Amino acid sequence: MKKLLIVACAMVSSCIVQNGQQCNAERSNVLVMMVDDLGFSDIGCYGSEIETPNLDALASGGMRFSQFYNTAKCHSSRVCLLTGQYCIAAGDAALNHAVTSAEVLAHSGYSTLMTGKWHLQKQPTDFGFQKYFGHLSGACNYFAGDNTFRLNGEPWQVPQEGFYTTTANVDYGLKFLDEARDREQPWYLYVAFNAPHAPLHALPEDYAKYKGKYDEGWDVIRDRRIAKQKQLGVLPESLEPSPRPEHIPAWSELEQWKRDYEANRMTTLAAMIDRVDQEVGRLIADLRKNDELDNTFILFVSDNGACPYDRRPALLDVEPTNANTILGDSTAWAWARNSPFRYYKQNQFEGGISTPAIVHWPAGLKQPVGAIVDQPAHLIDVLPTLADITDSEIPTSWQERELRPVSGISLKPVFNGQQIKSRPPIHLLFASDRGLRDGDWKLVSFQSEQWELYNVANDRCELNNLADSEPERLAMMIATWNEMAKNVLHAPAKAFAEPTETSGPHLHREWTFFDATEPEYYMKKRAKPAAKPRANTKTPLSKIRARKNTQMEVVSNELRLTFTGDDPGIAMDLRGLSLVDGPYRVAFQLKNDAKLTGEAFYTTDAKTNLPNGERIAFDVQSGSDWQDIDIAIKTSTRIHQLRIDVGDGPGKATIANLQLQDADGNTLLSWPIQDPKLN
């Protein structure tokens, strides 16, 4: 069995060079694990009552960060982790201004492996991962999957029985590790769990373990978590936690059916998190069996805080342990899961951006075993850290990409027990939520409302807004935020919009509507739920139509098209919808046996009719394989009509997961599933 060792730089430099790459014998393996929508307090070593013994053991044998940040959003966090850049700077989901950690480490002689959720354009195998299993979508049914599953770049059919996404990710991770060991190279494995992202689905044995354990409600659970966080040292004893916000009722005020439903949601979430830990345990056992655990650098993080978006009507008296029974997220449990902080996924307050972050690396860590480090860090630091500890070089140029500088810093000094003397401010932006962490100070804005200012060294839970008492510091930090947004992120003009006046408590239309009297109205607040219980919640299917010489059949998330003559295609009338200004992207998967023509048309005023307006040509491949299509619509105004042609004459084509996205990667509209999916 080969034994990997950390050695001094002089020994590394004397290693034999083969095929232009450094010899691999002394280099550490790398295991990065990212979970999806995990709250700051959702695992045991960060305060949870959920059983996570494997993650807790990694923390007790390694170190934890107490101030590690993500971007508050799924896809942008993945971009930051992979590229060392802020999402917009990297080219967003296209990654056309960045290289990935897989590309950097592959060039340095590593086997590069990935399983799980991708949620970016193209596929992992297009960005340096030599092996990949998982789904390209932002979320999927845990038991039934979806049609975006891929194995090493090729479509993969989800089994009809015996499948659960979290387990399958590790099944293939273990398989890839065995193959990498045969090549006698160091390896880099990135496991991107979709759990505990909605839909809430648990394996029956995991669900049974937590049934009845959340009947006490979120107030009791949150208080216990905060007490445990202080006892563990994750939080200082002096910390004042955020109070229950106005949009969340006390548990004691809920009707019994609401308590039962909410307890069921948290039961399912706990089971999903427990399962993640069990699968982490399988990975750790495999490393230990192969004598690799001590010299494998392991990082565990979450892509954002717990999700508050309640997008499904309440289902009572069900067990979500199968593909057909689905529960959605809960705003109140998201508040408890992000203990002790304020707000949630997509918000740049601490509840949205604070992740548990565990590092385990006995061969390389010089911190005291079990240390808790309070130095701020961010997902942009992952790539430069991996390059540093593996002696890999981050390139300054790459074929067919215009690279921008990496913004993250190496955390190796932290691992050596040192303080990072200075770092650039940490810039925070997703959609209209903004923030900046500069030393002990935090600038933050909820959906572009008035800037707020906090000293997080004394007030980590952001309770005492100092914007009025520190006007000079406020102005300086706003100027820094704008300068970084312009020159580091290369953000679009709308990112610089002047703040709007804050009026009353912060609210969101998709937070749970606890005042609902019926389960079907519980999922979100509507202006007049009794009169229009479903108003404005779906884009009518009539908004998409088959053009002449086209027949359209809707099956699940697919548009199955049959072309019988010239000029076929589909068209979408967007004139009656509320839609943000461009630019946009149109993304979908395509299978096509028609003639090879691809065109998109769009209009930017309400009077012009298709096919007048702007035209964009795109490549279409004929055959039985799925092709990923991504069309950039570069207009700065809103579009009114959209047409897509994928053939030019008789034939057939299938379009799946058709989405209109904004410049930040948000899904604005999707067809034939009409609810926006802001994963």
Side-chain angles (χ1 to χ4, degrees):
M1 173 110 26
K2 64 176 179 154
K3 188 173 183 180
L4 304 176
L5 300 172
I6 297 295
V7 296
C9 292
M11 292 183 66
V12 172
S13 64
S14 66
C15 188
I16 298 173
V17 175
Q18 298 176 344
N19 299 324
Q21 294 178 344
Q22 181 180 316
C23 172
N24 301 310
E26 297 91 0
R27 306 168 80 186
S28 289
N29 300 312
V30 175
L31 171 59
V32 174
M33 296 177 284
M34 174 176 274
V35 281
D36 202 332
D37 289 7
L38 188 81
F40 182 74
S41 68
D42 267 345
I43 57 178
C45 56
Y46 279 83
S48 180
E49 69 293 333
I50 300 169
E51 295 182 23
T52 56
N54 296 294
L55 290 167
D56 298 348
L58 290 179
S60 63
M63 57 164 281
R64 279 164 286 177
F65 285 90
S66 64
Q67 299 189 63
F68 200 109
Y69 291 132
N70 49 48
T71 71
K73 182 66 174 173
C74 297
H75 92 271
S76 54
S77 282
R78 289 156 212 283
V79 172
C80 291
L81 180 145
L82 288 169
T83 69
Q85 295 191 45
Y86 294 109
C87 181
I88 297 173
D92 211 313
L95 305 180
N96 51 15
H97 296 298
V99 292
T100 70
S101 51
E103 290 167 325
V104 170
L105 269 64
H107 190 261
S108 188
Y110 275 70
S111 294
T112 53
L113 324 165
M114 179 182 170
T115 67
K117 167 176 168 175
W118 180 236
H119 204 196
L120 305 175
Q121 291 180 21
K122 297 184 179 180
Q123 301 189 43
T125 47
D126 296 312
F127 290 100
F129 286 103
Q130 297 151 357
K131 300 281 186 179
Y132 171 67
F133 166 82
H135 56 100
L136 306 179
S137 56
C140 71
N141 188 301
Y142 284 80
F143 293 102
D146 62 24
N147 65 4
T148 72
F149 271 81
R150 300 290 185 270
L151 176 59
N152 299 330
E154 299 298 325
W156 186 83
Q157 185 66 44
V158 177
Q160 293 185 357
E161 295 182 356
F163 180 81
Y164 188 73
T165 303
T166 306
T167 302
N169 289 335
V170 173
D171 288 343
Y172 275 90
L174 295 174
K175 180 177 183 293
F176 292 163
L177 287 180
D178 283 341
E179 294 170 351
R181 291 173 185 127
D182 290 341
R183 292 189 291 274
E184 296 188 350
Q185 290 178 292
W187 49 260
Y188 165 36
L189 173 61
Y190 170 37
V191 181
F193 292 108
N194 201 180
H197 191 294
L200 305 189
H201 271 156
L203 288 171
E205 60 269 31
D206 300 333
Y207 177 85
K209 185 176 178 180
Y210 291 93
K211 195 169 182 180
K213 292 193 175 181
Y214 291 97
D215 293 347
E216 294 174 298
W218 42 69
D219 295 301
V220 171
I221 294 297
R222 189 175 192 266
D223 286 347
R224 285 182 186 157
R225 288 192 176 192
I226 293 170
K228 185 177 178 181
Q229 289 173 318
K230 292 183 176 182
Q231 181 266 324
L232 291 171
V234 173
L235 302 175
E237 284 286 345
S238 60
L239 180 135
E240 182 182 354
S242 63
R244 178 165 33 80
E246 295 182 16
H247 57 270
I248 294 175
W251 183 262
S252 60
E253 296 174 359
L254 295 179
E255 300 97 315
Q256 189 59 49
W257 71 265
K258 293 179 182 177
R259 293 189 202 179
D260 293 343
Y261 174 55
E262 290 288 359
N264 196 15
R265 295 210 269 192
M266 190 61 214
T267 295
T268 312
L269 282 160
M272 297 170 76
I273 295 165
D274 187 307
R275 174 53 54 179
V276 167
D277 184 79
Q278 293 179 56
E279 299 305 321
V280 170
R282 284 210 292 152
L283 285 168
I284 300 309
D286 183 73
L287 300 187
R288 185 177 286 113
K289 181 183 74 173
N290 287 279
D291 196 26
E292 293 176 335
L293 181 58
D294 283 357
N295 196 42
T296 297
F297 173 84
I298 299 174
L299 172 66
F300 176 90
V301 290
S302 176
D303 63 356
N304 45 252
C307 180
Y309 299 120
D310 197 348
R311 292 171 174 154
R312 292 185 176 274
L315 296 180
L316 308 183
D317 302 318
V318 299
E319 294 191 358
T321 56
N322 59 79
N324 299 319
T325 305
I326 298 173
L327 301 183
D329 284 308
S330 162
T331 306
W333 281 117
W335 166 69
R337 295 167 56 208
N338 289 336
S339 301
F341 304 129
R342 298 171 66 198
Y343 296 108
Y344 322 102
K345 173 180 179 177
Q346 294 193 18
N347 306 132
Q348 302 299 338
F349 289 84
E350 296 293 286
I353 61 175
S354 297
T355 172
I358 301 170
V359 174
H360 185 275
W361 187 28
L365 282 182
K366 296 180 176 60
Q367 287 279 358
V369 174
I372 298 174
V373 173
D374 62 2
Q375 297 186 62
H378 189 280
L379 290 175
I380 58 172
D381 300 332
V382 174
L383 172 62
T385 299
L386 296 186
D388 196 1
I389 67 174
T390 62
D391 292 306
S392 302
E393 182 179 351
I394 301 174
T396 56
S397 62
W398 198 265
Q399 187 176 3
E400 297 182 353
R401 296 183 217 166
E402 185 179 340
L403 301 189
R404 289 171 176 160
V406 165
S407 291
I409 64 172
S410 173
L411 299 176
K412 189 175 179 180
V414 177
F415 305 153
N416 289 335
Q418 302 167 1
Q419 289 285 323
I420 294 176
K421 295 181 181 179
S422 65
R423 68 168 299 148
I426 296 173
H427 197 277
L428 303 163
L429 171 66
F430 183 80
S432 60
D433 280 275
R434 309 167 175 178
L436 185 78
R437 173 74 190 261
D438 189 0
D440 290 338
W441 290 88
K442 171 88 177 286
L443 182 74
V444 65
S445 166
F446 180 90
Q447 296 189 348
S448 296
E449 293 183 359
Q450 289 294 314
W451 288 106
E452 302 173 33
L453 181 66
Y454 300 95
N455 185 316
V456 288
N458 304 321
D459 182 21
R460 180 83 189 278
C461 292
E462 300 164 302
L463 304 179
N464 183 24
N465 182 7
L466 302 176
D468 290 340
S469 61
E470 295 270 358
E472 292 182 3
R473 186 182 300 275
L474 178 72
M476 178 184 66
M477 291 187 69
I478 292 172
T480 299
W481 188 93
N482 282 307
E483 187 275 331
M484 291 185 69
K486 179 180 179 180
N487 297 319
V488 179
L489 274 70
H490 305 270
K494 66 180 181 180
F496 301 90
E498 287 296 316
T500 59
E501 290 294 329
T502 303
S503 57
H506 296 152
L507 294 172
H508 192 281
R509 63 183 179 84
E510 290 190 295
W511 291 351
T512 306
F513 181 39
F514 293 102
D515 291 340
T517 57
E518 301 294 337
E520 59 264 33
Y521 305 141
Y522 194 63
M523 60 185 279
K524 69 173 75 170
K525 186 171 182 177
R526 299 180 175 90
K528 296 180 180 180
K532 296 182 179 180
R534 303 255 179 213
N536 296 323
T537 65
K538 291 188 176 182
T539 304
L541 193 57
S542 61
K543 292 292 182 180
I544 182 170
R545 64 180 178 86
R547 286 182 41 76
K548 67 178 182 177
N549 299 321
T550 301
Q551 297 175 355
M552 180 173 66
E553 179 186 11
V554 178
V555 179
S556 185
N557 64 338
E558 296 180 353
L559 303 172
R560 298 181 180 177
L561 309 174
T562 301
F563 309 136
T564 59
D566 294 336
D567 204 23
I570 56 175
M572 287 73 84
D573 188 347
L574 313 178
R575 287 175 289 190
L577 303 178
S578 176
L579 198 63
V580 300
D581 289 342
Y584 308 96
R585 304 197 80 88
V586 177
F588 56 92
Q589 286 85 49
L590 173 67
K591 281 198 295 190
N592 187 8
D593 68 2
K595 292 183 180 180
L596 306 186
T597 300
E599 294 179 308
F601 302 85
Y602 65 93
T603 64
T604 55
D605 64 82
K607 295 182 179 180
T608 302
N609 290 314
L610 296 172
N612 298 318
E614 302 297 325
R615 172 186 173 275
I616 304 171
F618 58 93
D619 292 333
V620 172
Q621 299 172 5
S622 180
S624 59
D625 294 336
W626 287 102
Q627 177 189 0
D628 293 315
I629 303 294
D630 191 303
I631 306 166
I633 299 179
K634 297 182 179 179
T635 179
S636 61
T637 60
R638 68 150 290 170
I639 60 175
H640 292 262
Q641 296 178 76
L642 176 65
R643 170 179 158 183
I644 299 172
D645 297 352
V646 293
D648 187 16
K652 293 183 178 181
T654 301
I655 291 175
N657 300 314
L658 174 59
Q659 296 182 354
L660 178 68
Q661 302 172 349
D662 68 11
D664 296 319
N666 290 323
T667 301
L668 303 173
L669 298 168
S670 60
W671 299 274
I673 301 171
Q674 288 80 46
D675 278 338
K677 290 184 175 180
L678 305 180
N679 293 312

